[in-house]
Amino acid sequence: MRRQDGFSPVPGMAELEALRSGDRKALAKALTLVESTRPDHRRETERMLELLVGQTGRSLRIGITGIPGAGKSTMIEALGNHVIEMGGRLAVLAVDPSSMISGGAILGDKTRMHTLSKNPSAYIRPSPAGTSPGGVARRTRESILVLEAAGYEVIIVETVGVGQAEAMVSRMTDLFVLMLLPGGGDDLQGIKRGVMELADIVVINKADGDLRQRANLAEADVRHALGFIQPRHSGWEPSVLKTSALDGSGVRELWDAIVRFREQTEQSGAFSANRKRQLDDWIRMEAREMLLEKFDSDDSLQTTHRSLGEAVAAGTISPVTAARRLSDRFLNKDKP
C-alpha cells in the first residue's frame, strides 16, 4: 500500500540490489519497513529478509550500555571514527524509548554523534524500542540483518540505560560493553549485578583531568567485582579499560580489546556457539510473538477471554484455570 505522496515502504528487487550495493536511500527504506507494525508490512519484511539472508551474518555486533551520563554516544562516535580510519564501515542502532504518540524513537542520536553521522562510511539510525522488550529484539535483530546486507562490517547497538532492554541486546550481539563513570564504587551500587554479568568489556570513561585518581579506584573496584562473576564466553576474561572519549585516550585500546575478543572466542568456539544460541533464541521469540499476534487478533478468543475474566472476577474460577481453558481453546480452535 502506498502513502498519498506515492512513497511505498516496501522495497522492490531493484531497491534490494541497491541496498546490497550500499545505497543509503534503499537502506533507509528497508529499515522503515522493518520498523513498521502493520501486518502487511510484517509479511513484506519476512519476504525481504528471505532474499537478504545470504548476505548477512558477517559483521561484528557490539552492544554498548551504561549509566546515564557515562558518555556512550561520545565514545561510540570516537570508536566509530577510529574504525573508519582503519578502512571499515560502521553502523549504529540507538535503541531509544518509543514515542507514545508516533511510536518512533525519541532521542535521535544523530544530534549527539555529529561528526560520525556525516561520514559516508557510517550509518546511524535511532531504533524505537516499541512497547515491550520483544519489540526491541524483533526490530533490532531484523535491522542488524539489513545493515549487514548493506555491507556494514561493524554494527553497534546502543541502549539508553541499564535495565531489561540491555539483557535483550546482549542476546543479539557478539560482545557487550558496559560503560561506567570514575566514581569509585558508587557506579557499582547504582547498577544491577545482572548487568555486570553481561559485560565482556567494562569501560571507565571520562578518566581525565581531576577524575584520573577516581578512575583508578573505579577500575580496582570493577576488577574486584568481576572476580566473583563467571565469564560469559569460554576463552575470554572480561577486560577493564580506562578511556576518555573527549580527548580520545583509550579508544584504540578499546578497539584492540574488541579485536582480541573476536580472535580468542573464535579460537575457543565460543563465538559461533553464541551466534547459534542467539538464532535459536530468535526462533523461539519470533514464534511467541506470532502466536500472541494471532491470539490478539482473534475476536472469538477475545470474547472467551472477557467471559473468563468475568468469571475470575466473580470468584467462580481461579486465574490459572481461566488461563488453561483459554490456552486450550486457542490450541484446539482449528481442530474439527
Side-chain angles (χ1 to χ4, degrees):
M1 181 177 293
R2 291 182 177 271
R3 296 193 321 216
Q4 290 183 352
D5 59 8
F7 174 82
S8 171
V10 181
M13 291 302 297
E15 288 169 313
L16 290 182
E17 287 302 318
L19 167 65
R20 294 186 183 100
S21 67
D23 182 87
R24 297 171 75 89
K25 184 177 180 180
L27 174 57
K29 191 171 187 178
L31 291 173
T32 297
L33 177 64
V34 163
E35 293 170 0
S36 175
T37 58
R38 279 177 37 174
D40 57 332
H41 289 172
R42 294 304 309 161
R43 292 190 293 271
E44 291 296 338
T45 294
E46 184 176 346
R47 296 189 191 101
M48 177 182 68
L49 294 178
E50 282 293 309
L51 295 171
L52 296 177
V53 70
Q55 289 80 45
T56 64
R58 293 186 286 269
S59 75
L60 179 62
R61 307 164 182 172
I62 303 169
I64 295 184
T65 190
I67 63 173
K72 295 185 293 294
S73 296
T74 307
M75 174 55 69
I76 290 171
E77 181 168 53
L79 185 63
N81 287 329
H82 179 71
V83 170
I84 292 170
E85 287 173 5
M86 297 174 60
R89 299 181 69 218
L90 174 134
V92 180
L93 289 172
V95 179
D96 283 349
S98 295
S99 166
M100 296 299 291
I101 298 174
S102 68
I106 294 174
L107 299 182
D109 271 49
K110 285 188 178 182
T111 61
R112 292 178 287 162
M113 303 180 198
H114 183 67
T115 302
L116 189 63
S117 66
K118 295 190 296 183
N119 196 306
S121 294
Y123 191 88
I124 302 174
R125 177 88 172 192
S127 182
T131 57
S132 69
V136 173
R138 172 178 278 192
R139 297 181 184 187
T140 307
R141 277 182 166 127
E142 292 172 352
S143 295
I144 288 173
L145 295 185
V146 172
L147 289 166
E148 288 177 338
Y152 289 93
E153 301 147 328
V154 177
I155 298 174
I156 293 177
V157 182
E158 177 199 7
T159 66
V160 294
V162 284
Q164 190 170 4
E166 281 61 42
M168 299 296 296
V169 170
S170 74
R171 290 160 61 183
M172 67 181 77
T173 51
D174 300 312
L175 74 154
F176 201 65
V177 178
L178 172 63
M179 293 186 60
L180 301 176
L181 289 168
D186 297 340
D187 288 346
L188 299 183
Q189 297 173 14
I191 64 175
K192 296 180 181 179
R193 174 186 171 93
V195 179
M196 285 290 291
E197 291 174 337
L198 300 175
D200 301 303
I201 299 174
V202 179
V203 172
I204 312 297
N205 194 32
K206 302 186 180 180
D208 48 41
D210 296 337
L211 294 177
R212 291 183 187 275
Q213 183 60 34
R214 296 184 70 184
N216 291 334
L217 294 173
E219 180 184 16
D221 287 337
V222 171
R223 290 188 186 279
H224 179 74
L226 289 174
F228 296 96
I229 296 175
Q230 181 71 26
R232 290 205 307 153
H233 306 285
S234 63
W236 178 258
E237 292 288 334
S239 297
V240 183
L241 304 171
K242 297 191 296 291
T243 64
S244 171
L246 193 61
D247 64 23
S249 63
V251 174
R252 185 179 68 179
E253 289 77 8
L254 173 57
W255 177 247
D256 290 344
I258 291 170
V259 172
R260 286 198 308 275
F261 171 89
R262 182 166 194 168
E263 291 173 347
Q264 293 180 22
T265 54
E266 283 181 341
Q267 290 174 3
S268 70
F271 191 93
S272 59
N274 184 47
R275 283 279 180 101
K276 185 178 185 302
R277 282 194 301 270
Q278 290 179 354
L279 290 173
D280 291 341
D281 181 61
W282 190 354
I283 293 169
R284 291 176 63 86
M285 182 275 294
E286 196 67 31
R288 187 180 301 116
E289 292 286 333
M290 289 178 178
L291 288 171
L292 285 173
E293 288 171 358
K294 185 175 182 181
F295 175 86
D296 289 339
S297 63
D298 190 304
D299 292 338
S300 65
L301 285 172
Q302 295 310 305
T303 299
T304 302
H305 188 183
R306 288 191 294 271
S307 177
L308 289 169
E310 291 171 358
V312 169
T316 57
I317 61 173
S318 72
V320 175
T321 298
R324 179 178 54 76
R325 291 180 183 177
L326 187 59
S327 61
D328 285 347
R329 177 171 171 76
F330 178 51
L331 294 172
N332 297 301
K333 187 174 185 299
D334 297 327
K335 291 183 179 180

